[in-house]
Amino acid sequence: SADQAVTFGDLFAEVLIDRAAQRPRHERGADLHHTLQLSFEEALAGATRSVTVTRRETCRTCSGVGRTRASAGPCPLCEGTGAVRSVRGHMVFSRSCTACGGSGLQRPQPCESCGGAGLETRSETVQVRIPAGIGDGARVRVPGKGNAGVSGGPPGDLYIFIHLRRHPVFERDGTTLVTRVPITFTTAALGGDIEIPGLDGARHQISIPAGIQSGKQLRKRGA
């Protein structure tokens, strides 16, 4: 009959809802962000820096399960049968007990270390490799060093945002170093040689052509 069709439909819906409720949700862990200041020299040459981050890690007491031991005694809702019966008209239906997950036993007690979350907060020192030539505002991704996932989900990533300290002498234009050097009127008119400091501390000689104008750019390759 039509009433029976609706009743069986309700039964199938209950079965699907019950299975969905028992299915663990595998969620990816959240990404973490950290700002790292670099010197001008480190940004150009590349570097490896140690970064201490506070992460949500898998609980070491319960291994991320969220519980440590099972409670003694049968489930009070289904009285140890693992199933709950319901009556609709002349029909009797049975479905898995949601309180015990069909085991017939009381739920295990939550882990005392993590409160049942399966995660705990820990600090970790991470080695971050900074590629040579990195620019101000760039970011470096460290895979798997974000927060731990939930119910076996994958961990998030750690993103390092780079902030460069200003150099007292040089500026950057891509991979080119730029500096401004004052010269005398005589050198500008007649030409000559001047010395400029290099990033490595060495002195480099630059030839000034006669009649050079203010603001003119000269290039010293490999300096």
Side-chain angles (χ1 to χ4, degrees), residues 48-112:
T48 298
R49 293 285 297 271
S50 298
V51 175
T52 300
V53 294
T54 301
R55 309 170 54 212
R56 296 282 284 168
E57 277 282 5
T58 300
C59 177
R60 288 172 289 191
T61 301
C62 67
S63 300
V65 178
R67 55 187 182 273
T68 54
R69 60 183 178 84
S71 300
C75 171
L77 181 62
C78 65
E79 297 180 344
T81 63
V84 177
R85 305 175 67 189
S86 60
V87 179
R88 295 185 180 178
H90 299 290
M91 302 185 69
V92 178
F93 300 95
S94 178
R95 62 184 177 87
S96 178
C97 177
T98 57
C100 66
S103 67
L105 300 175
Q106 292 187 36
R107 289 283 191 182
Q109 292 293 325
C111 171
E112 296 180 357

Side-chain angles (χ1 to χ4, degrees), residues 197-213:
L199 193 62
D200 57 0
R203 308 292 294 184
H204 299 274
Q205 191 173 72
I206 297 289
S207 296
I208 307 297
I212 193 171
Q213 299 296 311

Side-chain angles (χ1 to χ4, degrees), residues 110-176:
C111 171
E112 296 180 357
S113 297
C114 65
L119 301 172
E120 62 180 352
T121 301
R122 297 204 299 267
S123 293
E124 180 181 353
T125 300
V126 179
Q127 300 297 316
V128 181
R129 189 179 66 83
I130 309 299
I134 195 167
D136 188 47
R139 70 177 187 177
V140 177
R141 173 175 169 265
V142 185
K145 289 302 181 180
N147 284 336
V150 178
S151 299
D157 298 328
L158 171 65
Y159 286 94
I160 306 296
F161 289 86
I162 302 300
H163 177 68
L164 301 185
R165 292 191 291 268
R166 293 182 64 87
H167 195 276
V169 176
F170 295 103
E171 298 176 2
R172 277 182 59 184
D173 183 7
T175 58
T176 301

Side-chain angles (χ1 to χ4, degrees), residues 182-193:
I183 61 175
T184 65
F185 179 80
T186 302
T187 302
L190 303 178
D193 294 332

